[in-house]
């Protein structure tokens, strides 16, 4: 029997590619950049499976370009806002994502940003490198204490809960919001459920962990900044469009909130100009899951989903099991 043909749309850790290559013929985008749309459509043609990135729109056009033999499109990400689930289901194509394996790495990044903003780590680094450190001073570069404050988790799923668990070491009070209350999480961490507006009024640190959906687009905008504390720090490791970036820049410029840490942007890789010059924003280039271990594990998980689907089974991290009935 001939081997299945698989496309991986970006270079991923070599071990995960080698694992897939044991059973399939694998083509990997050789460039250190996303494929152009035309390149992607051409490369997908005739493939039995495609491993996509969050930067690849996975829509009917891509599925039709791949062809009817395509059994699965496996996202190398937990977020799947780039995927058209209905179009895939209609065509009997499974979609999958990579939950859990990136939870800790992303929660760590949320904390890296919270600490960096509050304790002015990036600003301090710049000043020091510029030769402007002239000696310790009692009132120099102060920031808000982290220990003992209130952390607001917006979206208490896998990553939101992992971020909240880390707060116990800082003796923080945790408040959270989600579609539904999480009794087990409350029991384990002492967290309290609050409606979003009450959370925004109460929290000193607000960390976003919702998926990007039509409901969460611009969840945080001008109105929401207006009800946050002037000392609040907002951290976004979810998806850029969850925050209205222009409204955020204004809130930071006018002192409506104290600071922000961003891993994701509304129009990636473009970053709102107004944010770039702000000393109270820490900006990192979408590095939430960027650890050696996590990126390798994401590769193995996406590969396992592909292998299961090619073997005729519903993949373990399937987003649309109902596609099974359509083939
Ligand atoms: P998850 O387990 O599905 O958690 C999402 C949480 O958001 C759930 O608790 C859900 O509530 C809540 N939620 C959904 N819609 C909501 C709304 N309208 N209002 C309030 N809460 C809402 O997902 P996860 O694995 O933690 O990942 C979360 C997101 O992080 C992903 O979708 C992805 O976009 C992003 N992410 C980013 C990076 C990065 O590199 N920066 C890495 C990984 C993930 P219920 O549980 O009550 O339904």
């Amino acid at each position: 029997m001939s081997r299945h043909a698989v496309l991986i749309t970006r270079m991923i850790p070599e071990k995960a590619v080698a694992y897939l290559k044991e059973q399939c013929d694998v083509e990997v985008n050789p460039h250190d950049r996303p494929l152009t749309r035309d390149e992607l459509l051409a490369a997908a043609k005739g493939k039995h499976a495609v491993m996509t990135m969050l930067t690849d729109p996975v829509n009917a056009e891509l599925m039709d370009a791949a062809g009817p033999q395509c059994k699965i499109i496996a996202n190398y990400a937990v977020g799947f806002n780039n995927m058209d689930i209905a179009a895939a289901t209609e065509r009997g194509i499974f979609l999958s994502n990579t939950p859990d394996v990136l939870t800790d790495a992303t929660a760590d990044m949320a904390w890296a940003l919270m600490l960096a903003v509050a304790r002015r780590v990036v600003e301090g680094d710049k000043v020091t490198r510029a030769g402007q450190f002239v000696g310790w001073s009692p009132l120099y570069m102060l920031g808000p204490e982290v220990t003992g404050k209130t952390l607001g988790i917006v979206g208490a799923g896998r990553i939101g809960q992992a971020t909240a668990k880390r707060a116990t070491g800082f003796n923080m009070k945790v408040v959270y919001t989600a579609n539904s209350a999480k009794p087990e999480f409350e029991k384990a961490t002492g967290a309290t459920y609050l409606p979003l507006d009450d959370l925004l009024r109460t929290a000193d640190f607000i960390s976003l962990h919702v998926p990007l959906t039509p409901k969460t687009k611009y969840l945080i905008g001008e109105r929401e900044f207006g009800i946050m504390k002037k000392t609040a720090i907002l951290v976004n490791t979810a998806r850029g469009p969850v925050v209205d970036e222009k409204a955020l820049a204004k809130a930071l410029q006018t002192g409506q909130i104290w600071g922000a840490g961003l891993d994701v942007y509304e129009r990636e890789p473009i970053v709102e100009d107004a944010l770039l010059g702000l000393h109270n924003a820490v900006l990192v280039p979408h590095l939430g899951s960027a650890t050696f271990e996590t990126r390798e594990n994401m590769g193995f998980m996406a590969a396992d989903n592909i292998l299961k689907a090619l073997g005729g089974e519903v993949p373990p991290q399937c987003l649309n099991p109902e596609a099974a009935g359509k083939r």
Side-chain angles (χ1 to χ4, degrees):
M1 198 182 108
S2 67
R3 284 156 60 95
H4 287 115
V6 178
L7 169 69
I8 305 180
T9 67
R10 286 301 291 271
M11 286 179 222
I12 63 166
E14 188 47 47
K15 274 191 192 167
V17 180
Y19 175 64
L20 256 183
K21 279 185 173 169
E22 285 169 18
Q23 298 189 45
C24 305
D25 290 334
V26 180
E27 179 183 329
V28 183
N29 167 9
H31 311 292
D32 192 15
R33 60 163 173 82
L35 294 172
T36 64
R37 192 67 186 164
D38 285 348
E39 287 171 342
L40 174 61
L41 298 179
K45 190 170 171 12
K47 298 294 190 294
H48 298 95
V50 183
M51 191 189 296
T52 50
M53 310 295 131
L54 54 90
T55 43
D56 300 316
V58 176
N59 54 17
E61 183 188 37
L62 176 62
M63 296 165 200
D64 292 340
Q69 77 299 325
C70 183
K71 288 199 166 71
I72 176 165
I73 302 183
N75 226 23
Y76 183 78
V78 67
F80 50 86
N81 49 287
N82 60 317
M83 303 183 115
D84 184 338
I85 295 188
T89 304
E90 207 177 285
R91 288 163 177 75
I93 296 175
F94 290 124
L95 299 179
S96 64
N97 66 342
T98 60
D100 301 312
V101 287
L102 41 56
T103 293
D104 286 321
T106 311
D108 290 346
M109 179 55 81
W111 270 97
L113 288 169
M114 281 190 260
L115 291 168
V117 176
R119 304 308 308 275
R120 305 176 74 164
V121 173
V122 176
E123 223 184 324
D125 178 87
K126 278 188 198 142
V127 163
T128 308
R129 285 172 200 275
Q132 292 161 357
F133 172 45
V134 292
W136 185 90
S137 167
L139 297 179
Y140 185 52
M141 273 210 184
L142 307 188
E145 183 100 9
V146 178
T147 297
K149 294 286 174 60
T150 297
L151 170 62
I153 299 286
V154 179
R158 291 170 290 244
I159 300 169
Q161 293 193 20
T163 303
K165 278 182 196 146
R166 285 154 172 73
T168 57
F170 290 88
N171 288 330
M172 291 174 102
K173 183 178 168 199
V174 177
V175 293
Y176 76 97
T177 195
N179 288 320
S180 61
K182 316 277 173 220
E184 290 298 315
F185 169 57
E186 292 183 14
K187 221 162 106 189
T189 60
T192 310
Y193 177 88
L194 285 181
L196 179 63
D197 282 5
D198 293 341
L199 179 150
L200 298 178
R201 277 188 203 100
T202 310
D204 300 298
F205 293 82
I206 298 161
S207 193
L208 305 180
H209 301 287
V210 289
L212 175 60
T213 66
K215 271 195 180 161
T216 61
K217 181 160 190 230
Y218 283 3
L219 189 68
I220 306 296
E222 194 179 348
R223 189 190 75 85
E224 288 70 28
F225 290 118
I227 58 179
M228 290 180 194
K229 293 182 179 180
K230 282 207 168 359
T231 50
I233 290 175
L234 176 76
V235 163
N236 188 7
T237 59
R239 283 288 182 265
V242 173
V243 176
D244 177 343
E245 233 168 61
K246 280 197 195 315
L248 170 62
K250 196 168 153 214
L252 289 168
Q253 272 161 348
T254 58
Q256 197 153 29
I257 65 168
W258 200 81
L262 304 180
D263 184 41
V264 289
Y265 304 88
E266 210 183 313
R267 294 167 294 138
E268 286 182 25
I270 297 164
V271 178
E272 178 67 30
D273 250 0
L275 288 173
L276 297 173
L278 292 177
H279 72 92
N280 51 350
V282 171
L283 311 174
V284 291
H286 206 147
L287 299 178
S289 64
T291 70
F292 299 115
E293 295 85 347
T294 291
R295 288 286 166 85
E296 203 167 275
N297 288 333
M298 289 165 67
F300 284 126
M301 183 175 269
D304 275 332
N305 278 296
I306 287 175
L307 293 174
K308 277 280 186 310
L310 294 179
E313 292 177 53
V314 177
Q317 281 75 34
C318 191
L319 296 166
N320 61 340
E322 60 280 12
K326 299 279 182 173
R327 291 202 77 89

